[in-house]
Every structure is written in structure tokens, then in C-alpha cells.
């Protein structure tokens, strides 16, 4: 039996509530500070980049993306695709341009993707939209590298409380760790980084370790980064800093070190 299966409802909820594990401030404060930080970073990105906003990647109302491009671009300019977190319930592409702040100066474009968050969107819809966005971006920029980055270390979604067997089944078939056997990517060419915050919950950290080990067992080129002095929120907020370890790692992966 897995550890999460023997937890009572209150403990399970505590383990999967990232705001309760920050050492910097209270739960409400860390959420408010997180949103403020992301908005400020995105505003800065809008001021220093060329932007293409609300670019459709599908027919749905929420199927749009924002592109942040260096002021001077080249045909080989790499492009990073970013998928925001928010526990499927909040945040959007409007707060997701912050990663462009240190990247555009190194000749990297950033694409922030929107999808239909709950309650408007269900998990099947969200996953289909994410897949659709990637296909659209790769079709348009097939000549350059398009790595992706996302926020939220839930790789086994059935650990979250669901109210019906249908919801549980949806969570199961959309769990990243369940989908690994379907990967068609060459382990020789794909590089994956699983990063977790030092002050994330034990369950979030365990899920990240399990996912890393599952990828490694398949022969994928994967590394595990345990980022010191961070929680679930500033592990992403710090991407506005060009000297941040994960920023430097990202640039290295794109050949921009």
C-alpha cells in the first residue's frame, strides 16, 4: 500500500496544499505574494520584448497563447513553451510571461499557454488543450528547438481527492506517471529535469522522486534537482533572475550558456 493511501482526509489535504508548507509567510500571504510576483515579472517582460498576444492555437475561447520574443531575433532562435500552474483552478497566461525576463536577452523566445481551468474546464479538456498547443507551436516553429516547462509536481493524480469513480478514472488516465509507457521520444535526444523545492510537502517531493525514477528506469536522460531555500512558489518566481540556478540550467539545455 502506498503512503498516501493510508492518510486520513485532513492529512492528505495538508500534504497537497502547497501554501501550508512555505517557511517564508502564511498560506494566504504566500499565494498573494506569488500572484503579485508573477504579474510584475510578466509586466517587465512586456516592456522589454516584442509580444504577440492572444494568438489562437485552437477554436476554443481559452485556446490562446502569448509570445515574448527578443527584440533582435534570428532564424534559429530557440523557443520555450511554458504551462502555468494554479492547481487547475487559477492563474493564466496573463501572469506567465515572467520567464521571458532573463531569457530574451540571451536570444530565447517564450510562449505562455492558456487552457480552460476549473470549473469551466475538466482534466480531459485541459490535457487535450495542452497537447493541441504543443502541436500548433511545433508546426509553426518546426525548424527550431521548442523545449517546455511547467509548474506543479503532481505526477500521480489519483492521490488527489475525487468525488466520483468517473473523476478518479479521468485522473488515472491523465496521470503523467501512467503515460510514460506511451512515450515515443528518443532517450538519446530528450533531456528532462525534474525540479522540486526544498520546502515543498513530503508528498510533493515523493511524487517528484517517483517520477524521476520512473523516467530513469525507461532509459530517459533525466536529472533530479532539489532546489535549496525554495518553496512551491518561489521556485518559479526566481526564474526572473538570470543568475538563478534553474535559469542557468535552462539556458544550458538550450545551448545558451
Amino acid at each position: 500500500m502506498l503512503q498516501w493511501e493510508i492518510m486520513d482526509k485532513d492529512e492528505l489535504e495538508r500534504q497537497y496544499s502547497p501554501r501550508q508548507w512555505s517557511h517564508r509567510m502564511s498560506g494566504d500571504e504566500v499565494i498573494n505574494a506569488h500572484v503579485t510576483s508573477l504579474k510584475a515579472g510578466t509586466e517587465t517582460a512586456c516592456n522589454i520584448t516584442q509580444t504577440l498576444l492572444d494568438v489562437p492555437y485552437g477554436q476554443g475561447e481559452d485556446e490562446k497563447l502569448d509570445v515574448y520574443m527578443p527584440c533582435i531575433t534570428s532564424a534559429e532562435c530557440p523557443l520555450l513553451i511554458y504551462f502555468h500552474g494554479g492547481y487547475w483552478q487559477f492563474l493564466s497566461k496573463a501572469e506567465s510571461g515572467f520567464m521571458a525576463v532573463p531569457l530574451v536577452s540571451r536570444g530565447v523566445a517564450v510562449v505562455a499557454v492558456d487552457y480552460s481551468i476549473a470549473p469551466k474546464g475538466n482534466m480531459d479538456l485541459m490535457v487535450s488543450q495542452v497537447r493541441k498547443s504543443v502541436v500548433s507551436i511545433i508546426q509553426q516553429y518546426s525548424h527550431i528547438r521548442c523545449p517546455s516547462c511547467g509548474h506543479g509536481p503532481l505526477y500521480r493524480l489519483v492521490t488527489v481527492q475525487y468525488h466520483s469513480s468517473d473523476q478518479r478514472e479521468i485522473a488515472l488516465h491523465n496521470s503523467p506517471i501512467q503515460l510514460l509507457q506511451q512515450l515515443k521520444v528518443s532517450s538519446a535526444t530528450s533531456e528532462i529535469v525534474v525540479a522540486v523545492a526544498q520546502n515543498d510537502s513530503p508528498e510533493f517531493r515523493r511524487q517528484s522522486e517517483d517520477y524521476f525514477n520512473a523516467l530513469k528506469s525507461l532509459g530517459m536522460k533525466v536529472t533530479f534537482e532539489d532546489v535549496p531555500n525554495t518553496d512551491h512558489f518561489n521556485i518559479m518566481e526566481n526564474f526572473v533572475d538570470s543568475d538563478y540556478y534553474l535559469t542557468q540550467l535552462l539556458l544550458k539545455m538550450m545551448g545558451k550558456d
Side-chain angles (χ1 to χ4, degrees), residues 57 63 123-133 174:
Y57 64 83
E63 295 176 355
M123 199 169 293
D124 278 343
L125 176 59
M126 295 177 197
V127 171
S128 71
Q129 289 174 327
V130 165
R131 288 173 171 168
K132 188 188 299 184
S133 72
N174 284 314

Side-chain angles (χ1 to χ4, degrees), residues 182-225:
Q182 300 177 22
L183 286 179
K184 305 296 184 183
V185 184
S186 168
S187 60
T189 59
S190 300
E191 185 174 0
I192 302 172
V193 174
V194 178
V196 64
Q198 177 185 357
N199 295 316
D200 240 326
S201 75
E203 273 296 288
F204 270 30
R205 291 176 58 80
R206 181 193 62 77
Q207 285 219 17
S208 296
E209 291 169 359
D210 286 352
Y211 191 60
F212 163 74
N213 289 325
L215 288 166
K216 190 175 180 180
S217 70
L218 292 175
M220 302 295 290
K221 185 178 180 181
V222 56
T223 57
F224 185 85
E225 299 293 340

Side-chain angles (χ1 to χ4, degrees), residues 12-140:
L12 195 62
E13 185 173 320
R14 189 175 79 91
Q15 288 287 330
Y16 288 92
S17 179
R19 69 175 69 196
Q20 297 192 42
W21 296 89
S22 175
H23 291 195
R24 296 181 293 139
M25 56 191 78
S26 71
D28 288 344
E29 288 173 335
V30 76
I31 292 292
N32 292 335
H34 184 58
V35 174
T36 298
S37 175
L38 299 190
K39 285 183 175 179
T42 300
E43 183 177 352
T44 298
C46 288
N47 291 332
I48 65 174
T49 67
Q50 300 184 82
T51 59
L52 295 173
L53 304 180
D54 296 321
V55 179
Y57 64 83
Q59 300 299 314
E61 179 184 356
D62 301 313
E63 295 176 355
K64 295 181 175 64
L65 49 83
D66 292 343
V67 185
Y68 299 83
M69 300 179 295
C71 292
I72 300 177
T73 60
S74 70
E76 301 302 318
C77 172
L79 181 151
L80 176 72
I81 309 171
Y82 176 66
F83 300 100
H84 70 82
Y87 228 43
W88 309 289
Q89 301 170 72
F90 80 112
L91 294 179
S92 69
K93 67 179 178 60
E95 303 88 22
S96 300
F98 63 97
M99 294 190 71
V101 174
L103 298 184
V104 291
S105 63
R106 303 296 296 274
V108 177
V110 174
V111 174
V113 178
D114 244 358
Y115 51 88
S116 299
I117 59 176
K120 183 178 179 181
N122 61 42
M123 199 169 293
D124 278 343
L125 176 59
M126 295 177 197
V127 171
S128 71
Q129 289 174 327
V130 165
R131 288 173 171 168
K132 188 188 299 184
S133 72
V134 172
V135 170
S136 175
I137 293 166
I138 290 177
Q139 286 177 340
Q140 185 168 356

